């Protein structure tokens, strides 16, 4: 495994469920799903970018070509556009999402790719089933971009915007697609390695690096690891659920990791335990998030 200074530091705490970190415009942005807020870290201070109503759960983040922020509304199954301090509905995706939506990336042409759980996370007995990744074109057209995925979760795109990668939590794999003109094709599935310690990995948030490596937040196993050509090259085992990760800072060599003790509503605690951690890595990040 790569040997560098791997000290892990906390850059934000007192959060409920930090998710969907993004390095954008020189700052780390993220959603706190259970608090209904989108944040940005500015000079070490956690700022509120937007506060949603108590009934909404913000998740995936992305930016339109004009700089406006898009935010996934998990509960209402809509995409919001945040501009001048106001959030308005940018796209309604209920026709392709019977249950909660989740993460999102937005490409440079304004196409948003949105993942969804495919089942009701809040049901007494959730039953995962195959579902679709949703595309929202720059003109607002909503359509399925890829089908037959098991709990599509984290999503990332490379710098050239020719490859899009989806973490399938329900299948224990990453699925890569060719991306051209807002269309996904040529799916390649990459099962994640099983070990004696971790017989099944449910990938959550993901990010990419310049050597083709993928950092994976393995939520249920409480670790984050880098996989390259089917081999785990780096791993950090933690003491909390690991929800998402993103490579940031000016050199894109700081791995930001979202963790918490309670990710499901039924496990919500009075004292928030969510944190964002940072660790330096050897290979710079690529693309989005």
């Amino acid at each position: 495994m790569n040997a560098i200074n791997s000290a892990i530091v906390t850059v934000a705490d007192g959060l409920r469920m930090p998710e969907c970190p993004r390095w954008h415009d020189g700052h780390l942005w993220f959603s706190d799903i259970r608090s209904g807020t989108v944040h940005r870290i500015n000079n070490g201070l956690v700022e509120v970018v937007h506060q949603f109503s108590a009934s909404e759960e913000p998740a995936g983040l992305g930016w339109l070509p004009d700089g406006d922020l898009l935010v996934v509304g998990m509960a209402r199954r809509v995409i919001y556009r945040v501009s001048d301090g106001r959030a308005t509905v940018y796209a309604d995706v209920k026709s392709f999402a019977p249950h909660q939506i989740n993460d999102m990336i937005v490409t440079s042409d304004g196409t948003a790719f949105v993942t969804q759980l495919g089942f009701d996370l809040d049901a007494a007995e959730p039953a995962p089933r195959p579902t679709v990744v949703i595309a929202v074109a720059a003109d607002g057209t909503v359509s399925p971009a890829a089908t037959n995925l098991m709990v599509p979760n984290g999503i990332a795109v490379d710098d050239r915007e020719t490859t899009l990668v989806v973490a399938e939590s329900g299948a224990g794999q990453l699925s890569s697609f060719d991306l051209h003109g807002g269309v996904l094709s040529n799916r390649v599935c990459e099962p994640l390695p099983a070990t004696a310690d971790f017989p099944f990995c449910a990938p959550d948030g993901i990010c990419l690096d310049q050597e083709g490596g993928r950092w994976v937040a393995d939520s249920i196993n409480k670790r984050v690891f880098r996989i390259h050509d089917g081999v785990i090259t780096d791993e950090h085992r933690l003491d909390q659920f690991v929800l998402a990760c993103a490579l940031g800072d000016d050199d894109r060599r700081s791995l930001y990791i979202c963790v918490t003790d309670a990710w499901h509503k039924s496990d919500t605690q009075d004292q928030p335990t969510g944190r964002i951690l940072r660790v330096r890595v050897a290979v710079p990040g690529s693309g989005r998030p």
Side-chain angles (χ1 to χ4, degrees):
M1 295 191 179
N2 294 330
I4 61 169
N5 181 4
S6 58
I8 298 176
V9 299
T10 299
V11 298
D13 58 14
L15 307 168
R16 291 288 178 186
M17 187 180 176
E19 257 278 21
C20 308
R22 306 285 189 264
W23 185 259
H24 174 75
D25 196 25
H27 301 284
L28 184 74
W29 303 60
F30 64 94
S31 295
D32 190 351
I33 293 176
R34 296 286 178 248
S35 294
T37 50
V38 174
H39 295 280
R40 179 180 69 178
I41 298 180
N42 186 13
N43 292 324
L45 300 177
V46 179
E47 302 175 338
V48 175
V49 174
H50 192 79
Q51 176 73 57
F52 287 88
S53 67
S55 60
E56 189 52 283
E57 298 178 322
L61 307 175
W63 285 264
L64 291 170
D66 67 2
D68 280 357
L69 171 66
L70 296 186
V71 182
V72 164
M74 288 185 66
R76 295 182 180 177
R77 290 169 286 156
V78 300
I79 310 302
Y80 295 98
R81 182 176 192 158
V82 179
S83 181
D84 296 326
R86 296 180 62 250
T88 57
V89 174
Y90 175 76
D92 188 322
V93 301
K94 294 185 186 70
S95 57
F96 295 104
H99 305 292
Q100 296 98 329
I101 55 178
N102 193 357
D103 210 343
M104 174 181 66
I105 56 100
V106 181
T107 56
S108 59
D109 67 357
T111 303
F113 292 95
V114 184
T115 63
Q116 60 176 314
L117 302 178
F119 65 97
D120 186 358
L121 182 65
D122 298 327
E125 296 182 6
R129 59 181 63 88
T131 189
V132 305
V133 170
I134 302 166
V136 181
D139 65 1
T141 303
V142 179
S143 62
T147 62
N148 200 36
L149 289 89
M150 286 297 292
V151 195
N153 200 334
I155 187 167
V157 66
D158 68 345
D159 268 341
R160 296 182 300 161
E161 297 190 348
T162 58
T163 301
L164 183 139
V165 185
V166 179
E168 290 187 72
S169 299
Q173 66 184 17
L174 305 180
S175 283
S176 298
F177 298 86
D178 291 342
L179 172 60
H180 179 71
V183 177
L184 302 181
S185 62
N186 300 327
R187 179 182 181 185
V188 176
C189 298
E190 180 184 355
L192 295 171
T195 66
D197 287 343
F198 306 115
F200 181 77
C201 169
D204 197 325
I206 57 174
C207 61
L208 314 179
D209 69 29
Q210 291 181 9
E211 292 184 355
R214 289 91 181 269
W215 282 96
V216 178
D218 182 4
S219 57
I220 60 174
N221 293 318
K222 299 182 178 180
R223 61 174 178 158
V224 60
F225 62 86
R226 178 182 184 266
I227 187 167
H228 186 239
D229 292 335
V231 176
I232 293 177
T233 64
D234 303 78
E235 180 185 72
H236 297 283
R237 300 188 185 188
L238 303 167
D239 59 359
Q240 295 179 286
F241 296 112
V242 182
L243 306 179
C245 54
L247 287 160
D249 288 356
D250 291 343
D251 61 2
R252 296 293 303 276
R253 289 183 54 235
S254 288
L255 182 71
Y256 289 94
I257 310 164
C258 296
V259 300
T260 188
D261 286 344
W263 63 268
H264 194 274
K265 282 183 179 178
S266 62
D267 298 324
T268 300
Q269 304 171 3
D270 291 337
Q271 188 67 28
T273 61
R275 298 183 295 155
I276 296 181
L277 312 176
R278 182 181 64 213
V279 61
R280 297 287 288 171
V281 301
V283 183
S286 171
R288 301 179 180 91

